[in-house]
Amino acid sequence: MSKDAWHARVECGREVGAGFLVSSRRVLTCAHVVRFGDTAEITVSFPGRRDLGGITASVAVHGGWRGGVTDPGDLAVLELAREVPLAPAVFAPPDAEYGGELVAYGFPKGYDEGMLASYRALPGPRISDEWVQLEATAAHGQPLVAGFSGAAVTLADGGVVGMVSAVAGARGVHAGRMLPSEVMARYWPGLGALVPTDGHAAEARGQLYELVRRAGRTASPELAPDRLYVDAVGLFGPPLPPGGFASLEQAARYVQWEVPDPDAVPRFADRLAELLDGTPAAPSPAAASPGDTPWSPIVVEIEHSGAGADQVTVEVSAYRDGHRRPVGTRRLPRSAVRAYVQERIDEAFTQLAPDAEELITFVLPREWLNEPVAHWECSDDDPTPLGCAYPLVVADRSRHRSGRQRHQLARKWQKLDAGGTAVHRVDCGSQERPPSLRRRLREQDAGVAAYAAPPTAARERFDVGVNVPVPVLLWSRTGCPGPDTDHDGPCPGRSFLDELDRAVAGIPPAELPRHILTLRETAEAEDEPDRHWAHGIQLLWDDPRCFPEPTACLHSPVA
C-alpha cells in the first residue's frame, strides 16, 4: 500500500478538484470545489487505492468563503460516509514551504489518475495575510490548472505545508496560490492539533483543542481568553495583541503559533481544564460521546383547545429519572399563556434533581414554531430572556407525538452520536423545489438543516425538514422575508447561514442547545442586540431519548 494513498480526488457536480485525508473520515479541500454541494453529490476517491471506489461525503466544516475570487476562507472539511483504512497526511512545521521544491497532486482534465506539478513558494509577505504565491520551477512542467484546487502542497518527504486554493490562469488570477497550514487553522481550529509547532508535543496540542471544544459549550465569564493568555505566557511573556482575543480558539491558536515558550501550550490547557471542571482533559483529541449530556427537560406543550380560536391548552411537565412529572395544565386565552408559563416553569424546577442539566422545551403547533419564546422574560421580577437563562429549544407537536417519526428520530440520533454532521443549508434564493429538497435531505441522511427564511416565509420547505425528519433545524425568526426578496444583493437570511456555518462548526448536535444559549447571550449583550445575526435564532431540537414516556394527549380541563 502506498504511504501517500491519502491524496484524494473530489467531484461535486461538474466540478473536479483534489483533497487530502486528515483522519479516517475527514478530507480537506477548497470550499469552491464543493460549492454546489447543496444540490450535487460530493464523491471522494483515492487514486492510490482504487479498490475503495467512490465514497459519498458531506461538508462538515465550511471556512466561510463567500464565492468571490479574493474572498478568504476557501476551505472545506468533508465528512466521508464511511471510514477508510488509510494513513492520513502528515503535516510539516509552519513556514517549511520556503527554499525548496514543492509538489502538488491534482486532476487536470483527461487525467483522472492524477498529475504532479512542481512549484516553489515565493518568499515575502503573505498576500492579504491569506495566501502564499506559488511559481513553477520549470517552464515546461505541468502547470497548476483546473483540477488542482484543494491539492495538498508537500515537501519532498511528503510533509504537507498547505493547500492549493487558486490555479494559474483561472478564477481571475495569474499565479498559483496556496493556503498555508497556519491560515487553514484559522478556519478549522481542529487542524491546530495536527500541525507540529516548535516544542509542542502532539499530546499537548490534542489536549489543548479538546479543551477549547469543550469550553465552546460552556457559558462562563471565567473563560476569558485574554486572562487565559496572560496565565499561559506569564507577566514577562509576549504582550496581548492589539484588541485582545475575540474567542478562546483565537487565543489558543496564537499561543500555539506565535509564542516561542514551549510550556505556554500546556499552561494554557492546564488553566482551562481547571476552570472547566478541575480535571485535565484526556490526552486524546477524540471527543467524548456527543450523547453524554444527561438533559432533564422541562416541557411546555401548547395545543389548540377546541373551545375557540383564541383558546389554547397549556401543559407544563418536568422529567426526572426518565419519568414525566406533570406540573400544571390549564385552558387559557392566548394572551395569558406567557404569564402562566413563567409561573409553571419556575415550579417545574422543584421537580428536577439538584445536579440536573435543565432543557426548556416548547412543544408547539407548527404555526407557532416561529414564536419568540426564547425572548419571553423569566418572570415579572427577572427580565432575563428565557433563552439567555437556560438552554431552550422548540419541537413540532405533531412530530413529537408520532410513533413513526419518534422511531426514525431515535435511529438518526444514534448515528449522530457516532460522529459529527454537516449543516445542510436551505438557501432562500435557491430554486430547489420541496420534492428535490426532500430527496437531498434523505439521500444525505441530514442530521442538521439550517434555513435562510423562517417557517412563515418558506412553509413548504420547512415542512420537508420537519417531516423527513431532520433531527435538528435552525433558522432566524427575522431571516429572509420571502421569495419576493431581491437576492442579487445582500440578504439577511444568507448572511445568517454564513455566520451560523462558522458558529456551529464542529459542535456535536447533542450539545447545540447549550451552544445556542451562548450565542443568544452574546447577541443580547450587544449595544444593539437586534442587529446581531444570532438575535432571532430558533432551534428545533428533538431527541426522543430525552422524552422516554409517550406524552398523554392534552385535555381541556374544567374551568
Side-chain angles (χ1 to χ4, degrees), residues 297 299-303 314-319 322-326 329 361 363 395-403 406 542 544 546-555:
V299 178
V300 178
E301 188 165 1
I302 300 175
E303 174 60 314
V314 182
E315 180 172 347
V316 180
S317 55
Y319 279 79
H323 299 288
R324 187 172 63 91
R325 300 186 175 198
T329 304
T361 304
V363 180
D396 177 74
R397 187 171 180 273
S398 63
R399 184 168 98 165
H400 192 71
R401 291 177 168 278
S402 167
R406 283 173 64 87
D542 199 0
C546 291
F547 313 96
E549 280 188 351
T551 309
C553 291
L554 288 180
H555 60 283

Side-chain angles (χ1 to χ4, degrees), residues 134-402:
L134 300 176
E135 292 193 348
T137 55
H140 55 275
Q142 168 65 50
L144 289 181
V145 293
F148 277 88
S149 291
V153 180
T154 68
L155 304 174
D157 64 1
V160 177
V161 295
M163 177 178 73
V164 176
S165 61
V167 296
R171 300 179 69 238
V173 297
H174 301 288
R177 291 180 181 176
M178 81 167 187
L179 290 175
S181 303
E182 181 181 353
V183 173
M184 289 194 288
R186 291 179 193 165
Y187 306 113
W188 182 41
L191 190 63
L194 305 178
V195 180
T197 44
D198 287 343
H200 302 140
E203 181 176 323
R205 298 194 310 270
Q207 181 187 38
L208 172 66
Y209 286 99
E210 165 62 9
L211 284 164
V212 169
R213 186 193 67 79
R214 287 174 53 199
R217 308 194 303 267
T218 304
S220 170
E222 293 296 318
L223 303 180
D226 291 358
R227 187 185 309 165
L228 276 162
Y229 173 79
V230 173
D231 288 345
V233 304
L235 294 175
F236 302 103
L240 277 168
F245 299 107
S247 66
L248 279 175
E249 289 177 351
Q250 193 181 83
R253 282 201 310 271
Y254 195 89
V255 169
Q256 179 187 357
W257 300 89
E258 304 292 342
V259 177
D261 182 357
D263 293 328
V265 164
R267 278 199 299 265
F268 191 104
D270 289 346
R271 180 61 179 143
L272 182 52
E274 246 177 69
L275 294 173
L276 283 171
D277 55 15
T279 57
S284 167
S289 170
D292 284 348
T293 300
W295 293 115
S296 295
I298 291 175
V299 178
V300 178
E301 188 165 1
I302 300 175
E303 174 60 314
H304 302 292
S305 72
D310 186 47
Q311 297 290 310
V312 296
T313 302
V314 182
E315 180 172 347
V316 180
S317 55
Y319 279 79
R320 181 168 181 170
D321 300 326
H323 299 288
R324 187 172 63 91
R325 300 186 175 198
V327 174
T329 304
R330 186 171 297 178
R331 187 175 68 202
L332 298 162
R334 189 163 174 171
S335 59
V337 168
R338 186 180 305 193
Y340 179 78
V341 167
Q342 288 172 336
E343 294 173 5
R344 291 298 174 264
I345 284 181
D346 194 66
E347 184 180 340
F349 271 95
T350 66
Q351 301 294 324
L352 301 183
D355 59 348
E357 294 273 3
E358 68 270 6
L359 176 68
I360 310 296
T361 304
F362 279 81
V363 180
L364 305 171
R366 195 161 301 183
E367 64 270 23
W368 274 47
L369 287 174
N370 207 45
E371 285 290 312
V373 290
H375 292 276
W376 289 6
E377 296 177 351
C378 286
S379 69
D380 290 339
D381 300 322
D382 183 359
T384 306
L386 277 171
C388 292
Y390 314 105
L392 184 150
V393 302
V394 299
D396 177 74
R397 187 171 180 273
S398 63
R399 184 168 98 165
H400 192 71
R401 291 177 168 278
S402 167

Side-chain angles (χ1 to χ4, degrees), residues 7 13 88 95 109 169 244 354 387 419 442 467 470 480 504 512 547 559:
H7 289 288
D95 298 325
K109 187 175 182 180
R442 285 194 190 281
N467 294 329
V470 178
C480 177
V504 304
L512 279 173
F547 313 96

Side-chain angles (χ1 to χ4, degrees), residues 97-98 100 102 119-128 130-136 144 153 163-166 168 173-180:
E97 59 265 25
Y98 298 106
L102 302 175
Y119 272 69
R120 69 182 185 93
L122 196 66
R126 288 200 291 256
I127 300 169
S128 294
E130 181 88 358
W131 300 281
V132 169
Q133 186 164 321
L134 300 176
E135 292 193 348
L144 289 181
V153 180
M163 177 178 73
V164 176
S165 61
V173 297
H174 301 288
R177 291 180 181 176
M178 81 167 187
L179 290 175

Side-chain angles (χ1 to χ4, degrees), residues 5-10 17-21 27-28 44-47 105 107 150-151:
W6 46 262
H7 289 288
R9 185 176 189 269
V10 180
F20 51 105
L21 190 74
V27 169
L28 282 182
V44 176
S45 56
F46 297 91
Y105 190 155
F107 302 91

